[in-house]
Amino acid sequence: MKKILHIQCLAKLSGVQKISLEIMRGLNNSEFDKTILFSSSDCTGDRIALEKAFSDAGCKIIYSDNMVRKLNPVKDFRAVREIRKLCKQNGYDIVHTHSSKPGVVGRIGATLAGVPLVIHTVHGLSFTKFTPPLLYAAYFIFETIASFFCTKITSVNKYYLRFFKLFKKKTETVYNGMDFSELEARRVERKEDLQHIRLLFVGRLDPQKNILTILKAFRLAHEVQPNITLTVVGDGEFYGDCKHYIIENSLENCVSLEGWQSNPVPYYCNSDIFISSSLYEAFGLMFLEASYFNLPILASNVEGIPEVVLDGKTGLLNKPNDTDTLAEHIILLANDSVKRSELGENGHRYVTEQFSSLKMVEEYKNLYRQTGGGTKV
């Protein structure tokens, strides 16, 4: 039996954590002893739901006081030592780290412990074109150093491969996947609204997701197309700013702030267009959800998005912060039901063929086979 440890940071069932969950579900309990480590301090979600989900997948959970999301030299050093000790004590055959901070401290700690196979998945980069130059350089150096401490690097898109040219021989793309049967099980009957074209945003209300650009574009489009509405599902630091903008621009009757929702499926089922305006985005599981429910997508053409949303085929893309073009795209789709249907149907077909959880898990199984010992996957 192979012993595998996944290392994450946030103890919540959001995008990155759901990928670990899908992988753990796909690994046979008789062949793998499965454990995942989370931060004990950065728990922002429903810990009971998290623990039940991983327990049902046959996976044990460990919490670390030293694993923190923000840069903290003292705790980061302690986290490296803690992971090294944990790996030595438990004799893990595979350590799989996810995202930036766990990727740095986890890879170093596991390699120092002599773990045979150390894999890091890049779900996003801490350095983007919006990062100040000095900080960009520092984060790039940290990522480069950590990349020496692993056997394999996987990226959730092809775009990120350009940052790992020094490690080309051990880097490849493994796209995220989703169990679409779970979405189907939560499908609700659509309530038709012949009077309105309903736009939907699902995501965190933070700087990355750039929600205020969506609101500004919606205001411009609404002046031309008064039958459109916007539903915002999510919470975060910009919630207050969104509320203020809505009131200031008299959009209360056409924009709804729904807050965080554990099950956004009913919103997908009762919308006509999915909209996003991220400044950077590695992949975006919400695009898979939207496309599964046949929604045409409006999004920005940054990082991994063009690999998930095909411009002109499953959605329409624009440059980030391009409010005018986004407004034009809203108006275009609001007035063209045939185009909406075409993009939505193409999107459903594309994501179900290319981004299933079965396909993703099989690719990670192939990587896990590279370690000696244990039983065959």
Side-chain angles (χ1 to χ4, degrees), residues 316-355:
L316 300 176
L317 302 181
N318 59 267
K319 294 179 181 179
N321 284 325
D322 188 348
T323 306
D324 291 338
T325 301
L326 183 56
E328 290 172 6
H329 287 170
I330 292 172
I331 296 168
L332 188 156
L333 288 188
N335 283 302
D336 194 338
S337 61
V338 174
K339 188 67 172 178
R340 292 200 305 271
S341 296
E342 177 189 341
L343 296 176
E345 290 171 6
N346 289 343
H348 177 88
R349 183 166 53 252
Y350 178 61
V351 300
T352 52
E353 290 175 356
Q354 298 298 322
F355 304 115

Side-chain angles (χ1 to χ4, degrees), residues 48 131 140 144 184 244 293 302 311 356:
I48 294 176
T131 306
F140 182 80
T144 301
E184 186 60 38
H244 176 75
F293 290 107
V302 296
D311 191 22
S356 72

Side-chain angles (χ1 to χ4, degrees), residues 103-363:
V104 174
V105 299
R107 278 181 283 179
I108 294 173
T111 298
L112 293 178
V115 175
L117 182 62
V118 180
I119 300 172
H120 175 59
T121 293
V122 184
H123 294 277
L125 296 173
S126 53
F127 48 92
T128 73
K129 63 181 181 180
F130 300 100
T131 306
L134 289 178
L135 201 56
Y136 183 106
Y139 285 148
F140 182 80
I141 291 170
F142 290 152
E143 182 63 45
T144 301
I145 292 172
S147 294
F148 284 101
F149 289 83
C150 61
T151 317
K152 196 76 178 179
I153 300 169
T154 65
S155 168
V156 299
N157 60 49
K158 288 184 170 64
Y159 175 85
Y160 285 161
L161 298 182
R162 68 192 65 190
F163 299 104
F164 297 90
K165 292 180 180 178
L166 185 62
F167 309 98
K168 187 175 181 180
K169 291 184 178 180
K170 63 177 181 181
T171 305
E172 66 180 77
T173 295
V174 177
Y175 286 121
N176 287 336
M178 181 170 287
D179 183 355
F180 294 110
S181 66
E182 289 193 354
L183 292 181
E184 186 60 38
R186 286 182 277 155
R187 183 189 289 272
V188 299
E189 185 177 355
R190 179 179 172 86
K191 298 176 182 177
E192 294 295 343
D193 183 348
L194 301 179
Q195 304 300 316
H196 299 96
I197 301 299
R198 298 166 292 185
L199 282 77
L200 173 68
F201 167 87
V202 176
R204 298 185 309 277
L205 306 184
D206 63 7
Q208 175 194 349
K209 299 299 183 179
N210 200 20
I211 182 64
L212 290 178
T213 289
I214 293 177
L215 291 176
K216 291 173 184 177
F218 177 85
R219 180 183 62 80
L220 293 177
H222 189 261
E223 292 174 356
V224 178
Q225 195 80 26
N227 67 328
I228 60 174
T229 65
L230 171 64
T231 299
V232 177
V233 176
D235 203 351
E237 59 195 276
F238 279 11
Y239 185 91
D241 297 271
C242 291
K243 191 172 183 179
H244 176 75
Y245 187 89
I246 292 167
I247 295 172
E248 187 177 52
N249 291 277
S250 303
L251 297 173
E252 300 98 316
N253 293 328
C254 53
V255 179
S256 172
L257 293 177
E258 298 293 305
W260 182 82
Q261 300 291 325
S262 60
N263 177 25
V265 168
Y267 293 95
Y268 289 114
C269 293
N270 289 288
S271 297
D272 302 295
I273 300 168
F274 186 84
I275 188 167
S276 170
S277 188
S278 297
L279 296 176
Y280 49 94
E281 192 80 60
F283 188 85
L285 290 176
M286 70 281 190
F287 296 130
L288 301 191
E289 294 172 339
S291 288
Y292 180 78
F293 290 107
N294 290 69
L295 297 185
I297 294 172
L298 301 179
S300 45
N301 58 349
V302 296
E303 297 193 344
I305 292 179
E307 299 173 44
V308 185
V309 182
L310 305 182
D311 191 22
K313 295 183 179 180
T314 70
L316 300 176
L317 302 181
N318 59 267
K319 294 179 181 179
N321 284 325
D322 188 348
T323 306
D324 291 338
T325 301
L326 183 56
E328 290 172 6
H329 287 170
I330 292 172
I331 296 168
L332 188 156
L333 288 188
N335 283 302
D336 194 338
S337 61
V338 174
K339 188 67 172 178
R340 292 200 305 271
S341 296
E342 177 189 341
L343 296 176
E345 290 171 6
N346 289 343
H348 177 88
R349 183 166 53 252
Y350 178 61
V351 300
T352 52
E353 290 175 356
Q354 298 298 322
F355 304 115
S356 72
S357 59
L358 290 176
K359 185 175 183 179
M360 175 192 69
V361 171
E362 189 57 38
E363 291 187 51

Side-chain angles (χ1 to χ4, degrees), residues 36-79:
I36 188 165
L37 181 146
F38 289 112
S39 168
S40 61
S41 59
D42 288 327
C43 182
T44 57
D46 186 342
R47 185 173 286 193
I48 294 176
L50 176 91
E51 292 177 348
K52 184 180 187 306
F54 278 95
S55 176
D56 290 345
C59 180
K60 300 183 288 293
I61 293 181
I62 296 173
Y63 292 104
S64 169
D65 293 333
N66 296 311
M67 178 65 70
V68 292
R69 193 176 189 181
K70 294 183 179 179
L71 188 63
N72 185 322
V74 174
K75 286 204 169 186
D76 294 344
F77 178 72
R78 289 175 179 170

